[in-house]
Amino acid sequence: MKTLFTFLISFLALGLSAQELTPKEQKAIDYLRDHKEEQINFLEKTVNINSGTLNPAGVKEVGMLFKKELEDIGFETRWITMPDSLNRAGHLFAEINGGSGKTILLIGHLDTVFEEGHEFQTFERDDSIAKGPGANDMKGGNIVILYALKALAAAGALEDKNIIVAFTGDEEKPGHPLSVSRHDLVEAGKISDIALGFETASGMDYATVARRGSSGWNLEVKGKQAHSSGIFSENTGAGAIFEGARILNSFYTDVKGEELLTFNPGVILGGTEVEYNSGKSTGTAFGKTNVVASELEVYGGLRFISEEQKENARNKMREIVKNNLPGTSAEIHFSDSYPAMRPTPGNMALLETLDEVSRDLGYGEVKAFDPGRRGAADISFIAEYVDGLDGLGVMGGGAHSPSETINLETFIPLTERAALLIHRLSEK
Ligand SMILES: [Zn+2]
């Protein structure tokens, strides 16, 4: 009886899910199920080409494989080079303009954190798990994009769409200035209606509607060098180290508290002589216990969910920095790197469509992932221009480490979901 009941339930579930798909959608899904091995083999091929960010030839070689595949299904492609001074390979962009529907921007990146000298270079498959540099972050994600598009092409549902594919060549270590290395991505974001990012998925049941932005700050404090016995006198003053401690403590007590705002002093140097080497993240300090410290430097980071939150925090910090102890002065400087991607209603609407697609395929609901737990990514650069959803790539573990893996069991289901998501969003 129980078996019959279970059978009936699963039969019902299958029947329901099948009903939700249109014939074109079903055709795309069938294509993916029939080409599973081919998709995994293509992943292996791209993973086995080293494409560390600082290996432009390798990044381009991987890009050329995708270029050909995209051309075969009707995309117009271009390789965008970067000025020599950036020492980056450039980006692969591809476009199809087939109608009046929404323009969808699909974002991947060709580079990995593993440079040529690294020991981790090859794809190794062990049943449903495969190890490899970039298998998860994010050659796997690029292939989700490619095969979703191939499936739509096979179903006759590609040529009437407006799609831009942007595979950057330096996501892991963007070339500077960002105004040059992210120019083409930003321009593509401005002319698109929707952006989908295929960075690592945080499970089948989550997608990313928001990512925090990141920025830097440094604090420089000066005091009067003098004999330590005078430290509480008006003439000598409190010294740079007491003043630095006051400032940091006030940051902690008065600026801390807003949701998704964090700031971290990463390194501090104080004494009568300090030197910091930002390239190596190291420094030296000299000081004596009987001498009032004249110098202090702090280098820190700040993460935020909106420009407004970032500016508010900075203003509060500036106020605290101005309020100096006797005989001291202080300055704080801020630097921008990644903007934030806020959880807008438009982003939430994209998540709703993904949730619907996932249920129709029988893969269950999809919820919003905690933005506090995701770092910045390429989609952050265009979040202010376009509705976006990220974390649509593959599942796996150990990204950026020699134990990086991809879960091959969810590789095709995630691609099926991407295909239907692109298809339905373009028709909305
Ligand atoms: Zn990545």
Side-chain angles (χ1 to χ4, degrees):
M1 198 57 197
K2 196 183 169 194
T3 352
L4 180 64
F5 181 71
T6 321
F7 171 76
L8 277 174
I9 289 289
S10 47
F11 180 75
L12 201 65
L14 271 176
L16 271 179
S17 68
Q19 272 174 17
E20 305 287 349
L21 304 188
T22 65
K24 266 189 183 178
E25 290 178 339
Q26 191 56 55
K27 228 175 155 184
I29 300 307
D30 291 343
Y31 174 89
L32 290 170
R33 292 178 185 173
D34 289 346
H35 291 77
K36 184 178 173 201
E37 286 305 308
E38 184 193 297
Q39 184 173 337
I40 295 169
N41 290 341
F42 192 66
L43 176 67
E44 174 166 13
K45 196 168 164 186
T46 60
V47 166
N48 283 336
I49 299 167
N50 177 281
S51 64
T53 316
L54 303 178
N55 173 15
V59 172
K60 195 165 176 184
E61 194 183 338
V62 172
M64 288 303 129
L65 291 177
F66 284 102
K67 187 171 182 286
K68 182 178 179 306
E69 294 286 327
L70 288 164
E71 282 168 359
D72 285 350
I73 51 171
F75 276 81
E76 260 183 51
T77 65
R78 61 199 166 109
W79 184 264
I80 300 167
T81 53
M82 292 290 111
D84 288 348
S85 58
L86 269 71
N87 186 31
R88 295 295 185 275
H91 318 300
L92 172 67
F93 275 55
E95 253 180 78
I96 201 161
N97 298 301
S100 55
K102 289 195 167 165
T103 299
I104 304 181
L105 173 62
L106 307 174
I107 304 170
H109 64 81
L110 301 165
D111 62 319
T112 75
V113 297
F114 304 98
E115 297 296 340
E116 279 176 298
H118 201 284
E119 50 168 15
F120 189 44
Q121 298 289 349
T122 44
F123 186 89
E124 274 172 49
R125 186 171 169 182
D126 183 9
D127 196 24
S128 64
I129 299 288
K131 264 178 87 170
N136 172 349
D137 181 11
M138 64 174 285
K139 287 171 178 170
N142 300 339
I143 286 166
V144 168
I145 294 175
L146 175 66
Y147 272 78
L149 295 173
K150 283 169 82 116
L152 292 176
L158 182 66
E159 61 271 17
D160 60 348
K161 291 191 170 41
N162 297 317
I163 294 173
I164 304 173
V165 177
F167 284 172
T168 60
D170 59 348
E171 195 275 340
E172 299 292 359
K173 207 174 168 55
H176 280 267
L178 293 172
S179 57
V180 174
S181 69
R182 289 298 168 269
H183 172 80
D184 302 280
L185 182 66
V186 169
E187 291 306 309
K190 285 180 184 168
I191 57 167
S192 300
D193 302 299
I194 293 167
L196 304 177
F198 288 78
E199 288 282 1
T200 308
S202 317
M204 284 293 285
D205 44 357
Y206 286 103
T208 302
V209 294
R211 306 185 84 116
R212 294 200 293 168
S214 68
S215 65
W217 53 273
N218 81 294
L219 175 69
E220 280 175 48
V221 185
K222 301 269 184 235
K224 199 193 265 182
Q225 184 175 337
H227 195 282
S228 64
S229 59
I231 189 152
F232 300 139
S233 73
E234 197 120 313
N235 195 24
T236 299
I241 291 183
F242 267 136
E243 171 62 356
R246 175 196 71 81
I247 291 170
L248 293 179
N249 187 55
S250 301
F251 284 179
Y252 192 77
T253 55
D254 301 350
V255 188
K256 184 188 87 169
E258 268 180 54
E259 200 187 355
L260 297 174
L261 172 72
T262 57
F263 46 87
N264 170 53
V267 60
I268 183 167
L269 298 159
T272 49
E273 261 174 62
V274 304
E275 219 180 279
Y276 183 66
N277 179 332
S278 60
K280 292 187 170 160
S281 303
T282 182
T284 55
F286 175 86
K288 287 187 162 176
T289 54
N290 60 354
V291 180
V292 173
S294 53
E295 289 185 34
L296 177 130
E297 291 181 14
V298 184
Y299 296 84
L302 186 149
R303 289 176 181 249
F304 52 91
I305 197 65
S306 67
E307 285 301 297
E308 191 189 357
Q309 185 180 61
K310 179 186 85 180
E311 286 306 328
N312 279 340
R314 286 180 177 182
N315 286 336
K316 284 186 196 166
M317 290 167 118
R318 285 188 190 104
E319 281 306 309
I320 290 166
V321 167
K322 275 200 275 186
N323 208 1
N324 306 121
L325 290 175
T328 67
S329 63
E331 274 179 32
I332 189 162
H333 301 278
F334 297 98
S335 58
D336 285 320
S337 51
Y338 280 86
M341 172 181 172
R342 287 179 306 121
T344 61
N347 300 358
M348 296 308 289
L350 298 180
L351 177 67
E352 264 171 48
T353 305
L354 176 64
D355 178 60
E356 194 184 285
V357 164
S358 185
R359 288 168 195 261
D360 288 352
L361 283 166
Y363 297 141
E365 65 167 337
V366 187
K367 301 177 290 271
F369 194 69
D370 175 5
R373 291 170 57 201
R374 286 218 77 144
D378 264 345
I379 198 168
S380 310
F381 290 109
I382 53 167
E384 62 175 301
Y385 307 113
V386 65
D387 295 336
L389 197 60
D390 202 354
L392 299 171
V394 299
M395 280 172 60
H400 293 199
S401 88
S403 52
E404 177 172 342
T405 58
I406 172 174
N407 176 331
L408 297 174
E409 213 127 87
T410 52
F411 195 22
I412 310 305
L414 284 162
T415 311
E416 294 170 9
R417 237 164 51 171
L420 264 53
L421 178 65
I422 294 165
H423 181 60
R424 291 191 188 176
L425 287 175
S426 76
E427 301 202 320
K428 282 210 171 209

